[in-house]
Coordinates of all heavy atoms in Angstrom, one line a residue:
M1 N -30.3 -41.2 -15.7 CA -29.6 -40.2 -16.3 C -29.8 -40.2 -17.8 O -29.1 -41.1 -18.5 CB -28.2 -40.3 -15.9 CG -27.7 -39.4 -14.8 SD -26.1 -39.5 -14.4 CE -26.3 -39.7 -12.7
G2 N -30.5 -39.3 -18.4 CA -30.8 -39.4 -19.9 C -29.9 -38.3 -20.6 O -29.0 -37.8 -19.9
D3 N -30.2 -38.1 -21.8 CA -29.4 -37.1 -22.6 C -29.5 -35.8 -22.1 O -28.6 -35.0 -22.2 CB -29.9 -37.1 -24.1 CG -29.7 -38.5 -24.7 OD1 -28.8 -39.1 -24.2 OD2 -30.2 -38.8 -25.8
K4 N -30.7 -35.5 -21.5 CA -31.0 -34.2 -21.0 C -29.9 -33.8 -20.0 O -29.4 -32.6 -19.9 CB -32.4 -34.1 -20.3 CG -33.3 -33.2 -21.0 CD -34.7 -33.4 -20.5 CE -35.0 -32.6 -19.3 NZ -36.3 -32.9 -18.7
F5 N -29.5 -34.7 -19.1 CA -28.6 -34.5 -18.1 C -27.2 -34.0 -18.7 O -26.6 -33.1 -18.2 CB -28.3 -35.8 -17.3 CG -27.3 -35.6 -16.2 CD1 -27.5 -35.0 -15.1 CD2 -26.0 -36.1 -16.4 CE1 -26.6 -34.9 -14.1 CE2 -24.9 -36.0 -15.4 CZ -25.3 -35.4 -14.2
F6 N -26.8 -34.5 -19.8 CA -25.5 -34.2 -20.4 C -25.6 -33.0 -21.3 O -24.7 -32.3 -21.6 CB -25.0 -35.4 -21.1 CG -24.6 -36.5 -20.2 CD1 -25.3 -37.7 -20.1 CD2 -23.5 -36.3 -19.4 CE1 -24.9 -38.7 -19.2 CE2 -23.1 -37.3 -18.5 CZ -23.8 -38.4 -18.4
S7 N -26.8 -32.7 -21.9 CA -26.9 -31.7 -22.8 C -27.3 -30.3 -22.1 O -27.2 -29.2 -22.8 CB -28.0 -32.0 -23.9 OG -29.2 -32.1 -23.2
K8 N -27.7 -30.3 -20.9 CA -27.9 -29.1 -20.2 C -26.7 -28.1 -20.1 O -25.6 -28.7 -19.8 CB -28.4 -29.4 -18.8 CG -30.0 -29.6 -18.9 CD -30.5 -29.7 -17.5 CE -32.1 -30.0 -17.6 NZ -32.6 -30.8 -16.5
K9 N -26.9 -26.9 -20.3 CA -25.8 -25.9 -20.2 C -25.9 -25.3 -18.8 O -24.9 -24.7 -18.4 CB -25.9 -24.9 -21.4 CG -25.5 -25.5 -22.7 CD -25.1 -24.4 -23.7 CE -24.6 -24.9 -25.0 NZ -25.6 -25.5 -25.8
Y10 N -27.1 -25.2 -18.3 CA -27.2 -24.3 -17.1 C -27.8 -25.0 -15.9 O -28.6 -26.0 -16.2 CB -28.1 -23.0 -17.4 CG -27.5 -22.3 -18.5 CD1 -28.1 -22.3 -19.8 CD2 -26.4 -21.4 -18.4 CE1 -27.6 -21.6 -20.9 CE2 -25.9 -20.7 -19.4 CZ -26.5 -20.8 -20.7 OH -25.9 -20.1 -21.7
C11 N -27.4 -24.7 -14.7 CA -27.9 -25.3 -13.5 C -29.4 -25.1 -13.4 O -29.9 -23.8 -13.7 CB -27.2 -24.6 -12.4 SG -27.8 -25.1 -10.8
D12 N -30.2 -26.1 -13.2 CA -31.6 -26.0 -13.0 C -31.9 -25.0 -11.8 O -33.0 -24.5 -11.7 CB -32.3 -27.3 -12.7 CG -32.3 -28.1 -14.1 OD1 -32.4 -27.5 -15.1 OD2 -32.2 -29.3 -13.9
R13 N -31.1 -25.0 -10.8 CA -31.5 -24.2 -9.6 C -31.0 -22.8 -9.6 O -31.8 -21.9 -9.3 CB -30.8 -25.0 -8.4 CG -31.4 -24.5 -7.1 CD -31.4 -25.6 -6.1 NE -32.0 -26.8 -6.6 CZ -31.8 -28.0 -6.1 NH1 -30.9 -28.2 -5.2 NH2 -32.4 -29.1 -6.6
C14 N -29.8 -22.5 -10.0 CA -29.3 -21.1 -9.9 C -29.0 -20.5 -11.3 O -28.9 -19.3 -11.3 CB -28.1 -21.1 -9.0 SG -26.6 -21.8 -9.8
G15 N -29.0 -21.4 -12.3 CA -28.9 -20.8 -13.6 C -27.3 -20.6 -14.0 O -27.1 -20.1 -15.1
N16 N -26.5 -20.9 -13.2 CA -25.0 -20.8 -13.6 C -24.7 -21.8 -14.7 O -25.3 -22.8 -14.8 CB -24.1 -21.1 -12.3 CG -24.0 -19.8 -11.4 OD1 -24.4 -18.7 -11.8 ND2 -23.6 -20.0 -10.2
V17 N -23.6 -21.4 -15.4 CA -23.1 -22.4 -16.4 C -22.6 -23.6 -15.7 O -21.9 -23.5 -14.7 CB -22.0 -21.7 -17.3 CG1 -21.4 -22.7 -18.2 CG2 -22.5 -20.5 -18.0
L18 N -22.9 -24.8 -16.2 CA -22.5 -26.1 -15.7 C -21.1 -26.4 -16.1 O -21.0 -27.0 -17.2 CB -23.5 -27.2 -16.0 CG -24.9 -27.1 -15.4 CD1 -25.8 -28.0 -16.1 CD2 -24.8 -27.3 -13.9
D19 N -20.1 -26.2 -15.4 CA -18.7 -26.7 -15.6 C -18.7 -28.1 -15.2 O -18.2 -28.9 -15.9 CB -17.7 -25.9 -14.8 CG -17.7 -24.4 -15.2 OD1 -17.8 -24.2 -16.4 OD2 -17.6 -23.6 -14.3
A20 N -19.2 -28.4 -14.0 CA -19.4 -29.7 -13.5 C -20.8 -29.8 -13.1 O -21.5 -28.8 -12.8 CB -18.5 -30.0 -12.3
R21 N -21.3 -31.1 -13.2 CA -22.8 -31.2 -12.9 C -23.0 -32.5 -12.1 O -22.2 -33.4 -12.1 CB -23.5 -31.3 -14.2 CG -23.3 -32.6 -15.0 CD -23.7 -32.5 -16.4 NE -23.1 -31.4 -17.2 CZ -23.7 -30.7 -18.2 NH1 -24.8 -31.0 -18.7 NH2 -23.0 -29.7 -18.7
T22 N -24.1 -32.4 -11.4 CA -24.5 -33.6 -10.6 C -26.0 -33.5 -10.5 O -26.6 -32.5 -10.8 CB -23.8 -33.6 -9.3 OG1 -24.1 -34.8 -8.7 CG2 -24.3 -32.5 -8.4
M23 N -26.5 -34.7 -10.1 CA -28.0 -34.7 -9.9 C -28.3 -34.3 -8.5 O -27.5 -34.6 -7.6 CB -28.6 -36.1 -10.1 CG -28.6 -36.7 -11.4 SD -29.8 -35.8 -12.5 CE -31.3 -36.5 -11.8
S24 N -29.4 -33.5 -8.4 CA -29.9 -33.2 -7.0 C -30.3 -34.5 -6.3 O -30.7 -35.4 -6.9 CB -31.2 -32.4 -7.2 OG -31.8 -32.2 -5.9
W25 N -30.0 -34.4 -5.0 CA -30.4 -35.6 -4.1 C -31.9 -35.5 -4.0 O -32.6 -36.6 -3.8 CB -29.8 -35.4 -2.7 CG -30.1 -36.3 -1.7 CD1 -31.2 -36.2 -0.8 CD2 -29.7 -37.6 -1.5 NE1 -31.3 -37.3 0.0 CE2 -30.3 -38.3 -0.4 CE3 -28.6 -38.4 -2.1 CZ2 -30.1 -39.5 0.1 CZ3 -28.4 -39.6 -1.6 CH2 -29.0 -40.2 -0.5
F26 N -32.5 -34.3 -3.9 CA -33.9 -34.2 -3.6 C -34.9 -34.3 -4.7 O -36.1 -34.6 -4.5 CB -34.1 -32.9 -2.8 CG -33.3 -32.8 -1.5 CD1 -32.2 -31.9 -1.5 CD2 -33.6 -33.5 -0.4 CE1 -31.4 -31.9 -0.3 CE2 -32.9 -33.5 0.7 CZ -31.7 -32.7 0.8
N27 N -34.5 -33.9 -5.9 CA -35.4 -33.9 -7.1 C -34.6 -34.2 -8.3 O -33.5 -34.7 -8.3 CB -36.3 -32.7 -7.1 CG -35.5 -31.4 -7.3 OD1 -34.3 -31.5 -7.8 ND2 -36.0 -30.2 -7.1
E28 N -35.3 -34.0 -9.4 CA -34.7 -34.3 -10.7 C -33.8 -33.3 -11.3 O -33.3 -33.5 -12.5 CB -35.9 -34.7 -11.7 CG -36.8 -35.7 -11.3 CD -36.3 -37.1 -11.4 OE1 -36.0 -37.4 -12.7 OE2 -36.1 -37.8 -10.5
D29 N -33.6 -32.2 -10.6 CA -32.7 -31.2 -11.1 C -31.3 -31.6 -11.4 O -30.7 -32.4 -10.7 CB -32.6 -30.0 -10.1 CG -33.9 -29.2 -10.0 OD1 -34.8 -29.4 -10.9 OD2 -34.0 -28.4 -9.1
T30 N -30.7 -31.0 -12.5 CA -29.3 -31.1 -12.8 C -28.7 -29.9 -12.2 O -29.1 -28.8 -12.5 CB -29.1 -31.2 -14.3 OG1 -29.8 -32.3 -14.9 CG2 -27.6 -31.3 -14.6
I31 N -27.7 -30.1 -11.3 CA -27.3 -28.9 -10.6 C -25.7 -28.7 -10.6 O -25.0 -29.6 -10.9 CB -27.7 -28.9 -9.1 CG1 -27.2 -30.2 -8.4 CG2 -29.2 -28.7 -8.9 CD1 -27.5 -30.2 -6.9
C32 N -25.3 -27.5 -10.4 CA -23.9 -27.2 -10.4 C -23.3 -27.6 -9.0 O -23.9 -27.9 -8.0 CB -23.6 -25.7 -10.7 SG -24.1 -24.6 -9.4
M33 N -21.9 -27.5 -8.9 CA -21.3 -27.9 -7.7 C -21.6 -27.0 -6.5 O -21.6 -27.4 -5.3 CB -19.8 -28.1 -7.9 CG -19.3 -29.1 -8.9 SD -20.4 -30.6 -8.8 CE -19.5 -31.5 -7.5
D34 N -21.9 -25.7 -6.8 CA -22.3 -24.8 -5.7 C -23.6 -25.2 -5.1 O -23.7 -25.3 -3.8 CB -22.5 -23.3 -6.2 CG -21.1 -22.6 -6.5 OD1 -20.1 -23.2 -6.1 OD2 -21.2 -21.6 -7.0
C35 N -24.5 -25.6 -5.9 CA -25.8 -26.0 -5.4 C -25.7 -27.4 -4.8 O -26.4 -27.7 -3.8 CB -26.8 -26.1 -6.5 SG -27.3 -24.5 -7.2
F36 N -24.8 -28.2 -5.2 CA -24.5 -29.4 -4.7 C -24.0 -29.3 -3.2 O -24.4 -30.0 -2.3 CB -23.5 -30.3 -5.5 CG -23.1 -31.5 -4.8 CD1 -23.9 -32.6 -4.9 CD2 -21.8 -31.7 -4.3 CE1 -23.5 -33.8 -4.3 CE2 -21.4 -32.9 -3.7 CZ -22.3 -34.0 -3.7
E37 N -23.1 -28.4 -3.0 CA -22.6 -28.1 -1.7 C -23.7 -27.6 -0.8 O -23.7 -28.0 0.4 CB -21.6 -26.9 -1.8 CG -20.2 -27.3 -2.4 CD -19.5 -28.4 -1.4 OE1 -19.6 -28.3 -0.2 OE2 -19.0 -29.3 -2.1
K38 N -24.7 -26.7 -1.3 CA -25.8 -26.3 -0.5 C -26.6 -27.5 0.0 O -27.0 -27.6 1.1 CB -26.6 -25.3 -1.2 CG -25.9 -24.0 -1.2 CD -26.7 -22.9 -2.0 CE -25.9 -21.8 -2.5 NZ -26.3 -21.0 -3.6
E39 N -26.8 -28.5 -1.0 CA -27.6 -29.7 -0.6 C -26.9 -30.5 0.4 O -27.4 -31.1 1.3 CB -27.8 -30.5 -1.9 CG -28.9 -29.9 -2.8 CD -29.5 -31.0 -3.7 OE1 -29.0 -32.1 -3.8 OE2 -30.5 -30.7 -4.3
S40 N -25.4 -30.6 0.3 CA -24.8 -31.3 1.2 C -25.0 -30.8 2.7 O -25.0 -31.5 3.6 CB -23.2 -31.3 0.9 OG -23.0 -31.9 -0.4
E41 N -25.0 -29.3 2.7 CA -25.3 -28.8 4.0 C -26.6 -29.2 4.6 O -26.8 -29.4 5.8 CB -25.2 -27.2 3.9 CG -23.8 -26.7 3.6 CD -22.8 -27.1 4.7 OE1 -23.1 -26.9 6.0 OE2 -21.7 -27.6 4.4
I42 N -27.6 -29.1 3.7 CA -28.9 -29.5 4.1 C -28.9 -31.0 4.6 O -29.5 -31.3 5.7 CB -30.0 -29.3 3.0 CG1 -30.1 -27.8 2.7 CG2 -31.3 -29.9 3.3 CD1 -30.8 -27.5 1.3
K43 N -28.3 -31.9 3.8 CA -28.3 -33.3 4.1 C -27.6 -33.5 5.5 O -28.0 -34.3 6.3 CB -27.5 -34.1 3.1 CG -28.3 -34.3 1.9 CD -27.6 -34.8 0.7 CE -27.1 -36.3 0.9 NZ -26.3 -36.7 -0.3
K44 N -26.5 -32.6 5.8 CA -25.8 -32.8 7.1 C -26.8 -32.4 8.3 O -26.8 -33.1 9.2 CB -24.7 -31.8 7.1 CG -23.4 -32.6 7.0 CD -22.2 -31.5 7.2 CE -21.5 -31.4 5.9 NZ -20.6 -30.2 5.9
K45 N -27.7 -31.5 8.0 CA -28.5 -31.0 9.1 C -29.7 -32.0 9.2 O -30.3 -32.3 10.3 CB -29.2 -29.7 8.7 CG -28.2 -28.6 8.9 CD -28.9 -27.2 8.6 CE -27.9 -26.1 8.2 NZ -28.8 -25.1 7.5
L46 N -30.0 -32.7 8.1 CA -31.1 -33.8 8.2 C -30.6 -35.0 8.9 O -31.4 -35.8 9.4 CB -31.5 -34.2 6.8 CG -32.4 -33.2 6.0 CD1 -32.5 -33.6 4.6 CD2 -33.8 -32.9 6.7
Q47 N -29.2 -35.2 8.9 CA -28.5 -36.3 9.6 C -29.1 -37.6 9.1 O -29.1 -37.8 7.9 CB -28.6 -36.1 11.1 CG -27.9 -34.8 11.6 CD -28.1 -34.6 13.1 OE1 -29.0 -35.2 13.7 NE2 -27.5 -33.5 13.5
D48 N -29.6 -38.4 10.0 CA -30.1 -39.8 9.7 C -31.4 -39.7 8.8 O -31.7 -40.7 8.1 CB -30.4 -40.6 10.9 CG -29.1 -40.9 11.6 OD1 -28.0 -40.7 11.0 OD2 -29.2 -41.4 12.8
G49 N -32.0 -38.6 8.8 CA -33.3 -38.4 8.1 C -33.0 -38.3 6.6 O -34.1 -38.3 5.9
E50 N -31.9 -38.0 6.2 CA -31.5 -37.7 4.8 C -32.2 -38.7 3.8 O -32.6 -38.4 2.8 CB -30.1 -37.5 4.5 CG -29.3 -38.6 4.5 CD -27.8 -38.3 4.1 OE1 -27.2 -37.5 4.7 OE2 -27.4 -38.9 3.1
K51 N -32.1 -40.1 4.2 CA -32.5 -41.0 3.3 C -34.0 -41.0 2.9 O -34.4 -41.2 1.8 CB -32.4 -42.4 3.9 CG -30.9 -43.0 3.9 CD -30.6 -43.6 2.5 CE -29.1 -43.9 2.3 NZ -28.7 -43.8 1.0
S52 N -34.8 -40.5 3.9 CA -36.2 -40.5 3.6 C -36.5 -39.3 2.8 O -37.7 -39.1 2.2 CB -37.0 -40.4 4.9 OG -36.5 -39.4 5.8
Y53 N -35.5 -38.4 2.5 CA -35.8 -37.3 1.6 C -35.3 -37.4 0.2 O -35.4 -36.6 -0.6 CB -35.1 -35.9 2.2 CG -36.1 -35.5 3.3 CD1 -35.8 -35.9 4.6 CD2 -37.1 -34.6 3.1 CE1 -36.7 -35.5 5.7 CE2 -37.9 -34.1 4.1 CZ -37.7 -34.6 5.4 OH -38.5 -34.1 6.4
E54 N -34.6 -38.6 -0.1 CA -34.1 -38.8 -1.4 C -35.1 -38.9 -2.4 O -36.1 -39.6 -2.3 CB -33.3 -40.2 -1.4 CG -32.6 -40.4 -2.7 CD -31.8 -41.6 -2.7 OE1 -31.8 -42.4 -1.8 OE2 -31.0 -41.9 -3.8
G55 N -35.1 -38.0 -3.4 CA -36.0 -37.9 -4.5 C -37.4 -37.4 -4.0 O -38.4 -37.7 -4.6
C56 N -37.5 -36.7 -2.9 CA -38.8 -36.3 -2.4 C -39.4 -35.2 -3.3 O -40.6 -35.0 -3.1 CB -38.7 -35.8 -1.0 SG -37.7 -34.3 -0.8
G57 N -38.6 -34.6 -4.1 CA -39.3 -33.6 -5.1 C -39.2 -32.2 -4.6 O -39.7 -31.3 -5.5
Y58 N -38.7 -31.9 -3.5 CA -38.5 -30.5 -3.0 C -37.3 -30.4 -2.1 O -36.7 -31.5 -1.7 CB -39.8 -30.0 -2.3 CG -40.0 -30.7 -1.1 CD1 -39.6 -30.2 0.2 CD2 -40.7 -31.9 -1.0 CE1 -39.8 -30.9 1.3 CE2 -40.9 -32.6 0.2 CZ -40.5 -32.1 1.4 OH -40.7 -32.7 2.5
I59 N -36.9 -29.2 -1.9 CA -35.7 -29.0 -1.0 C -36.2 -28.7 0.4 O -36.8 -27.7 0.6 CB -34.8 -27.8 -1.5 CG1 -34.6 -27.8 -3.1 CG2 -33.5 -27.8 -0.8 CD1 -34.1 -29.1 -3.6
P60 N -35.9 -29.6 1.3 CA -36.3 -29.3 2.7 C -35.7 -28.1 3.2 O -34.5 -27.8 3.0 CB -35.9 -30.5 3.5 CG -35.5 -31.6 2.4 CD -35.2 -30.8 1.2
D61 N -36.5 -27.3 4.0 CA -36.1 -26.1 4.6 C -35.7 -26.4 6.1 O -36.6 -26.6 6.9 CB -37.1 -25.0 4.5 CG -36.5 -23.6 4.8 OD1 -35.3 -23.5 5.0 OD2 -37.3 -22.7 4.8
V62 N -34.4 -26.6 6.3 CA -34.0 -27.0 7.6 C -33.3 -25.9 8.4 O -32.4 -25.3 7.8 CB -33.0 -28.3 7.5 CG1 -32.8 -28.9 8.9 CG2 -33.5 -29.2 6.5
D63 N -33.6 -25.8 9.6 CA -33.0 -24.7 10.4 C -31.8 -25.2 11.2 O -31.5 -26.5 11.0 CB -34.0 -24.0 11.4 CG -34.5 -25.0 12.5 OD1 -33.8 -26.0 12.8 OD2 -35.4 -24.6 13.2
E64 N -31.1 -24.5 11.9 CA -29.9 -24.8 12.5 C -30.0 -26.0 13.5 O -29.0 -26.7 13.7 CB -29.2 -23.6 13.3 CG -28.8 -22.5 12.4 CD -27.9 -22.9 11.3 OE1 -27.0 -23.7 11.6 OE2 -28.1 -22.5 10.1
K65 N -31.1 -26.2 14.0 CA -31.3 -27.4 15.0 C -31.7 -28.6 14.3 O -31.9 -29.6 14.9 CB -32.5 -27.0 15.9 CG -32.1 -25.8 16.9 CD -33.3 -25.4 17.8 CE -33.2 -24.0 18.1 NZ -34.6 -23.4 18.3
G66 N -31.8 -28.6 12.9 CA -32.1 -29.7 12.2 C -33.7 -30.0 12.1 O -34.1 -31.0 11.8
E67 N -34.3 -28.9 12.5 CA -35.9 -29.1 12.3 C -36.4 -28.6 11.0 O -35.9 -27.6 10.5 CB -36.5 -28.2 13.5 CG -36.4 -28.9 14.9 CD -36.7 -27.9 16.0 OE1 -37.4 -27.0 15.7 OE2 -36.4 -28.3 17.1
I68 N -37.2 -29.5 10.5 CA -37.8 -29.2 9.1 C -38.9 -28.1 9.3 O -39.9 -28.4 10.2 CB -38.4 -30.4 8.5 CG1 -37.6 -31.7 8.7 CG2 -38.7 -30.2 7.0 CD1 -36.2 -31.7 8.1
K69 N -38.9 -27.1 8.5 CA -39.9 -26.0 8.6 C -41.1 -26.3 7.7 O -40.9 -27.0 6.8 CB -39.3 -24.7 8.3 CG -38.4 -24.1 9.3 CD -37.8 -22.7 9.0 CE -36.3 -22.8 8.8 NZ -35.7 -21.6 8.2
Ligands
LIG101 ZN1 -26.5 -24.1 -9.3

């Protein structure tokens, strides 16, 4: 986590103002809590597989059955 993380004003993913910020699980993005919630949903669908996607560099597109598209 460098200076960039703290100096950013806008979410890397959706462009919203960053009131609160966190790092993406999947890539280097600094994201807002809305996007964090979306990632949490994806992680839930990945279930045990989420570990292998940490820092993978993209956001996995998972369907309702937990299958990666
Ligand atoms: Zn966002």
Side-chain angles (χ1 to χ4, degrees):
M1 258 177 232
D3 293 342
K4 247 170 79 187
F5 178 78
F6 292 105
S7 62
K8 271 185 186 156
K9 286 198 173 76
Y10 303 102
C11 174
D12 285 332
R13 194 149 308 152
C14 70
N16 279 347
V17 174
L18 290 167
D19 296 322
R21 68 193 62 204
T22 189
M23 286 294 285
S24 167
W25 175 267
F26 299 108
N27 62 17
E28 302 283 297
D29 286 351
T30 303
I31 57 173
C32 69
M33 297 319 279
D34 282 352
C35 291
F36 176 74
E37 285 299 321
K38 284 177 199 158
E39 285 203 347
S40 296
E41 290 301 311
I42 295 169
K43 280 167 73 178
K44 253 184 248 166
K45 288 185 203 161
L46 290 170
Q47 298 170 353
D48 294 344
E50 69 173 62
K51 280 279 171 210
S52 51
Y53 284 90
E54 185 175 5
C56 66
Y58 64 95
I59 316 303
D61 194 4
V62 192
D63 69 16
E64 294 306 315
K65 291 175 210 147
E67 284 168 17
I68 321 294
K69 286 182 244 173

